[in-house]
Amino acid sequence: GNSVTQMEGPVTLSEEAFLTINCTYTATGYPSLFWYVQYPGEGLQLLLKATKADDKGSNKGFEATYRKETTSFHLEKGSVQVSDSAVYFCALFRGSNYKLTFGKGTLLTVNP
Amino acid sequence: EPEVTQTPSHQVTQMGQEVILRCVPISNHLYFYWYRQILGQKVEFLVSFYNNEISEKSEIFDDQFSVERPDGSNFTLKIRSTKLEDSAMYFCASRGQGTDTQYFGPGTRLTVL
């Protein structure tokens, strides 16, 4: 079946540091890939997505590139801010029902 | 901006009791989902719902679980006889026709004692 493995946290960075959160997946065919973010006390919000190989999703300074050859979708940001502190979830869907398969989530804390 | 809402934010219940978790999806959405996250574990799919029917369910979604859209706005998850292992955060999500993005609510934390 489908599965997502992401880097376990917590990850603690200083403001303006470079962020990478690794995500790899197992799925047949070409799944759609997502990063969701959960800020404290809020629901899961879509951060970015990519639907085919070599697509780059981007939003709010975050980027992730769909790499079919390495089955990866790593999240990056060049300069993190305190307001980026949240839990980040990598997810995929494959198939007509659009059910999402999630990774365990990575807690990011950015210190001033 | 339209959003998915869930009530209550936290529910505490005794083992064996029935609970109903409520969700109000985005108003023009047609596809509805429940997921759960046991503390420290992955977010897991429970069930999807479309056109007043379950379209898919996971092995977790056994006879103790049911879903309903009782009116035009609410979408509920019922657990008939709660177990300790049902303690988790439950997320509702909805999706519009012709889109691939699910919008999630803030979750209900269920604690079974």
Side-chain angles (χ1 to χ4, degrees):
Chain A
N2 300 333
S3 67
V4 175
T5 302
Q6 67 179 97
M7 184 171 125
E8 293 203 21
V11 173
T12 303
L13 296 173
S14 298
E15 208 164 20
E16 299 184 4
F18 184 84
L19 168 72
T20 300
I21 301 177
N22 290 338
C23 171
T24 57
Y25 67 89
T26 302
T28 55
Y30 292 86
S32 294
L33 302 173
F34 302 81
W35 277 99
Y36 279 83
V37 58
Q38 185 179 31
Y39 298 103
E42 300 184 18
L44 298 167
Q45 299 175 25
L46 179 66
L47 181 59
L48 54 84
K49 66 181 184 183
T51 56
K52 59 184 190 296
D54 300 325
D55 267 3
K56 179 185 282 188
S58 61
N59 186 24
K60 299 181 183 179
F62 291 90
E63 292 182 342
T65 301
Y66 189 143
R67 301 282 187 208
K68 180 65 176 173
E69 64 277 11
T70 54
T71 62
S72 65
F73 193 56
H74 304 321
L75 182 68
E76 296 183 335
K77 186 174 186 182
S79 176
V80 293
Q81 305 301 310
V82 172
S83 57
D84 294 327
S85 297
V87 181
Y88 292 81
F89 294 90
C90 185
L92 67 81
F93 79 70
R94 173 91 181 103
S96 59
N97 197 36
Y98 294 80
K99 71 174 184 185
L100 289 165
T101 300
F102 283 89
K104 283 184 85 168
T106 303
L107 173 63
L108 170 67
T109 302
V110 181
N111 295 318
Chain B
E1 184 176 323
E3 59 182 16
V4 177
T5 59
Q6 290 184 244
T7 54
S9 56
H10 191 189
Q11 173 93 45
V12 181
T13 190
Q14 296 291 324
M15 191 169 56
Q17 295 296 304
E18 175 183 286
V19 294
I20 297 176
L21 309 183
R22 290 183 167 80
C23 170
V24 179
I26 293 172
S27 62
N28 62 346
H29 283 187
L30 300 177
Y31 301 86
F32 312 114
Y33 304 81
W34 284 101
Y35 294 82
R36 79 171 186 190
Q37 185 181 30
I38 295 171
L39 189 64
Q41 298 187 25
K42 295 185 179 188
V43 177
E44 302 171 290
F45 167 79
L46 291 178
V47 66
S48 58
F49 191 87
Y50 169 71
N51 200 25
N52 283 321
E53 289 184 343
I54 290 174
S55 45
E56 187 172 349
K57 59 183 180 180
S58 72
E59 62 274 11
I60 301 167
F61 195 89
D62 61 22
D63 291 345
Q64 293 300 310
F65 290 86
S66 62
V67 289
E68 192 177 30
R69 189 152 162 82
D71 53 42
S73 59
N74 289 284
F75 178 52
T76 62
L77 174 70
K78 181 192 292 186
I79 309 174
R80 288 189 184 80
S81 177
T82 50
K83 306 183 190 68
L84 295 176
E85 54 265 35
D86 293 328
S87 295
M89 180 74 88
Y90 288 80
F91 293 105
C92 172
S94 69
R95 177 171 67 86
Q97 180 85 27
T99 72
D100 61 5
T101 300
Q102 293 178 36
Y103 293 86
F104 283 78
T108 293
R109 179 163 297 286
L110 176 64
T111 302
V112 182
L113 302 176

